Each structure stands twice: as structure tokens, then as C-alpha cells.
């Protein structure tokens, strides 16, 4: 009897709770302010990718493009930290030579919103679709026929013409290892028809100078061979001027004290002495991430990444949005200052983008032509 009586009370209590629960659910259903049931898992954020194209068939190409690559990646990662709700931008690396087939797949993949061409790469050889937005950090190639093309640096021809114009009155030797790593050697040879132009064994640089009587060597080769040439020329105390490849770290580390006094002309900015808050923050973040100061084309890489990020609107970043933004770009405020562009995306004043650097105490510092 006791057990039966206990069962009845439990059943009665359960019935009362069931009635109360049903009533509560009915009231909730009738209440217009009641929250909706969960809609299930949220849709994944749209994938956003940018292709970074290098040409690793060129010696030292990896090192030459590294500062730009690191700065671009840092810009995208920083943007994600500042706005976690926005879809992250992934930087995908491609080699112009080895990944030529994969480069073709970029056109058909709408998640790729643009392409950044690395320093020293001829973007024309990538044969990318003309509808793809392209930001070039290289002085090679052209944007002919593209709806959205912006070159962030001066053309290599401008570098050659400037070097030739400044050193025309000198007895110059234009030297490089064999084969030269890029067209600078040929461009300088054409711009200075009276100069001695030779592709040589770098260790024989002093012999060439002694034979020809040059008073300045314009090095149009790579950093390692340039370091060997500088060491060979050291006892002669001759002016040694080169292009942007001398700014690669291998030149200083290999040449040692023989590098002191060498010059390099580059279409790349250095904001190490800037007092601008954005520039100081960029340097601090870059050094914190990589342990070294930003190298050649890091500033331009950072600015290129932000041109893509700034194109984002209410609907996010898409290829069409980036193309529309770059297609109408005439001016950009970058880390170093304001730069202007022509309607075809080329720099309006390319010579204004050139910077002369000099090795002093084992590091590169800004220099003037009167020091050459």
C-alpha cells in the first residue's frame, strides 16, 4: 500500500509539471516578444585570396621579394586582428615558372580578388586575365589592356635613365655577372653607348677597371656577385653604384667592409627616420614579427595590401569591387607620403619615387647624388 500510494503522488506531481510546462510553452508561442529558435550554424565567411607572383628562376629572387611578401602578409593579418568580423584575406604564393598552370586557375576562381606582382618580376609573362586587378611592385612589364592596374614603383627604364643621366660625364663601366639577372644591364648599355659594358666573372672586376680606366662601376647584377666585385675593387677606391638588388642582405653580409661607400638606386622607400605615427607603428610591428627592420619594397608591399583592404565596402571584398577601386585610383596616401597615378595606373612622376642609398657603417642610409 505504501508503495502504491507513493506512485500515485509521483504521477500526480508529474502530471502537474507537464500541465505547467505545456501552459508555459503555449504562452511563449503566443508572446510576440519571445525569441526565435536558433537558426542553426552560421554560413562560413566568404573566402578572400590574393595571389603573390614571384619568378624563382632568377637568382636571389626569393630574398629580393621577401620584405614585400612579409609586409603584405603583416598588413592582412593586422587587418584581421583589428576587425575579426571581416573575412580574412589569405596571401597565396605562386612561382611564375613552376606554377604557370596554376596561375591560369586564378582567373576561374572568384575568391581571388587581385594579384600582387613581386619586385623584379615581369608580370606580363604570367598571362593573367585582363579582368584581374593587378598591383605591381616591379619595374618590369606593362598594364596595357587591363581595367585595373597600378604600378607602385618606377619602371626599370626610369632607373636606368636616371643612372645614365647622372653618370654620363663619368668614365663608366657597366658590369654584371653572366648572365645578368634582369634587363637593367641591357638598358644601361643602351643608355650609355660610350661606356664599357661587360658580363664578367665578378672576381675579375678590378682587372676590367684597370684595363679600361673606368672611374665608376655601375653594377647591374645580383647581390652576391656584386659583393664579390666590391671586394675585388676595394683597393682601387672606385665609386660603386648599383640598382635595387644591392639592397638585398646578402650584399652587405658577403662584401663586409668592402661594401662601405657603395651606392644603390631603388624605387623603394625607407621610413626608418619618419616621425609619422603610422610609419612608426609599421616599423615596430614588422621588427617585432621578423626581427629585422623593413627591407627594400616592404613599404610598397604594405601600401599595396592596404589598397586592396580599403576597397572593401558593405558587401566585403570581391574582384569586381577591387577592380572598380583600382581602376579609378589617381592618388594614394601611403606610409611615405602621397603618390599620384596616371589613368593607365603608371606613376605620374616616376622619378620622384627613386631613392639613392649609401652604405655607411655596415648599413644603408639615404644619400644625395653629390656624394657619388
Amino acid at each position: 500500500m505504501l508503495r502504491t500510494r507513493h506512485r500515485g503522488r509521483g504521477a500526480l506531481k508529474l502530471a502537474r509539471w507537464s500541465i505547467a510546462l505545456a501552459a508555459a510553452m503555449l504562452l511563449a508561442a503566443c508572446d510576440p516578444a519571445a525569441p526565435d529558435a536558433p537558426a542553426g550554424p552560421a554560413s562560413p565567411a566568404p573566402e578572400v585570396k590574393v595571389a603573390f607572383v614571384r619568378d624563382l628562376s632568377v637568382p636571389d629572387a626569393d630574398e629580393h621579394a621577401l620584405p614585400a611578401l612579409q609586409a603584405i602578409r603583416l598588413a592582412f593579418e593586422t587587418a584581421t586582428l583589428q576587425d575579426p568580423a571581416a573575412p580574412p584575406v589569405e596571401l597565396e604564393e605562386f612561382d611564375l615558372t613552376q606554377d604557370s598552370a596554376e596561375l591560369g586557375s586564378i582567373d576561374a576562381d572568384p575568391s581571388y580578388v587581385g594579384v600582387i606582382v613581386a619586385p623584379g618580376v615581369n608580370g606580363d609573362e604570367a598571362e593573367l586575365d585582363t579582368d584581374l586587378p593587378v598591383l605591381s611592385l616591379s619595374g618590369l612589364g606593362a598594364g596595357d589592356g587591363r581595367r585595373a592596374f597600378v604600378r607602385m614603383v618606377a619602371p626599370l627604364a626610369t632607373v636606368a635613365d636616371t643612372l645614365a643621366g647622372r653618370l654620363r660625364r663619368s668614365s663608366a663601366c657597366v658590369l654584371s655577372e653572366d648572365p645578368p639577372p634582369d634587363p637593367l644591364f641591357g638598358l644601361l648599355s643602351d643608355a650609355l653607348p660610350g661606356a664599357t659594358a661587360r658580363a664578367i666573372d665578378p672576381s675579375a672586376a678590378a682587372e676590367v677597371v684597370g684595363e679600361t680606366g673606368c672611374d665608376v662601376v655601375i653594377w647591374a647584377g645580383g647581390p652576391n656577385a656584386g659583393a664579390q666585385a666590391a671586394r675585388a675593387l676595394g683597393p682601387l677606391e672606385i665609386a660603386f653604384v648599383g640598382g635595387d638588388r644591392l639592397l638585398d642582405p646578402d650584399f652587405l653580409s658577403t662584401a663586409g667592409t668592402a661594401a662601405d661607400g657603395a651606392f644603390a638606386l631603388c624605387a623603394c622607400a625607407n621610413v626608418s627616420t619618419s616621425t609619422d605615427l603610422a610609419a612608426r607603428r609599421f616599423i615596430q610591428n614588422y621588427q617585432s614579427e621578423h626581427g629585422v627592420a623593413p627591407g627594400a619594397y616592404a613599404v610598397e608591399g604594405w601600401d599595396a595590401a592596404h589598397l586592396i583592404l580599403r576597397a572593401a565596402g558593405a558587401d566585403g571584398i570581391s574582384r569586381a569591387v577591387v577592380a572598380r577601386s583600382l581602376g579609378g585610383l589617381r592618388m594614394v596616401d601611403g606610409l611615405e607620403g602621397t603618390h599620384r597615378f596616371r589613368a593607365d595606373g603608371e606613376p605620374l612622376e616616376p622619378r620622384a619615387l627613386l631613392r639613392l642609398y649609401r652604405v655607411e657603417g655596415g648599413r644603408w642610409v639615404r644619400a644625395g647624388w653629390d656624394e657619388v
Side-chain angles (χ1 to χ4, degrees):
M1 294 291 294
L2 179 63
R3 183 178 298 176
T4 305
R5 200 163 42 240
H6 180 64
R7 262 185 178 167
R9 287 176 182 173
L12 180 61
K13 183 183 288 187
L14 180 60
R16 287 173 180 171
W17 274 108
S18 299
I19 293 170
L21 180 60
M25 292 177 65
L26 183 60
L27 288 172
C30 297
D31 187 356
D36 295 333
S43 300
E47 197 172 20
V48 178
K49 295 184 288 189
V50 172
F52 183 75
V53 180
R54 297 176 294 181
D55 185 358
L56 298 182
S57 67
V58 178
D60 305 301
D62 197 18
E63 183 181 51
H64 192 55
L66 185 60
L69 174 67
Q70 292 174 334
I72 295 166
R73 201 179 297 282
L74 179 63
F76 290 153
E77 291 172 352
T78 302
T80 299
L81 290 174
Q82 292 174 343
D83 185 5
V89 181
E90 300 293 337
L91 189 64
E92 302 288 341
E93 301 173 43
F94 291 86
D95 176 19
L96 187 64
T97 305
Q98 296 183 7
D99 300 331
S100 56
E102 294 182 26
L103 279 169
S105 67
I106 294 176
D107 300 334
D109 187 346
S111 65
Y112 281 98
V113 301
V115 176
I116 298 178
V117 177
V121 174
N122 187 342
D124 294 349
E125 295 179 2
E127 298 181 355
L128 298 166
D129 190 88
T130 55
D131 287 336
L132 265 172
V134 172
L135 285 154
S136 179
L137 306 180
S138 172
L140 299 173
D144 295 343
R146 292 198 172 278
R147 292 192 303 115
F149 173 84
V150 175
R151 192 191 305 279
M152 305 293 292
V153 301
L156 191 62
T158 302
V159 177
D161 289 344
T162 302
L163 281 170
R166 291 287 184 174
L167 302 174
R168 198 177 303 280
R169 295 181 181 180
S170 304
S171 177
C173 281
V174 179
L175 305 179
S176 169
E177 71 267 40
D178 190 13
D182 61 36
L184 182 61
F185 178 80
L187 291 169
L188 284 169
S189 302
D190 293 340
L192 290 168
T196 299
R198 295 184 189 176
I200 63 166
D201 178 343
S203 62
E207 298 175 21
V208 175
V209 169
E211 174 191 331
T212 60
C214 298
D215 57 14
V216 59
V217 167
I218 307 177
W219 184 255
N224 288 295
Q228 296 176 48
R231 295 180 68 172
L233 293 166
L236 301 181
E237 297 184 354
I238 189 172
F240 191 81
V241 185
D244 60 359
R245 293 187 183 276
L246 288 189
L247 296 174
D248 293 354
D250 279 355
F251 175 72
L252 290 181
S253 62
T254 305
T257 57
D260 280 352
F263 293 87
L265 184 65
C266 180
C268 56
N270 184 323
V271 294
S272 60
T273 59
S274 174
T275 58
D276 179 75
L277 180 60
R280 301 309 304 170
R281 187 180 295 116
F282 162 69
I283 294 172
Q284 180 181 358
N285 292 343
Y286 188 99
Q287 288 180 320
S288 176
E289 183 76 16
H290 302 293
V292 295
Y297 299 107
V299 170
E300 289 71 24
W302 176 270
D303 287 344
H306 277 85
L307 284 180
I308 292 174
L309 292 169
R310 290 169 190 167
D315 298 327
I317 305 177
S318 67
R319 186 180 299 185
V321 167
V322 174
R324 196 159 49 245
S325 178
L326 297 185
L329 188 70
R330 296 296 177 268
M331 183 176 69
V332 58
D333 291 323
L335 283 177
E336 198 198 28
T338 301
H339 303 298
R340 292 176 171 80
F341 302 92
R342 302 184 326 213
D344 60 359
E346 294 286 351
L348 185 62
E349 299 175 343
R351 287 180 185 269
L353 300 178
L354 299 181
R355 302 288 182 267
L356 185 67
Y357 299 96
R358 180 176 184 269
V359 180
E360 188 176 292
R363 65 189 185 94
W364 290 103
V365 297
R366 283 288 298 271
W369 282 106
D370 58 321
E371 300 177 48
V372 179

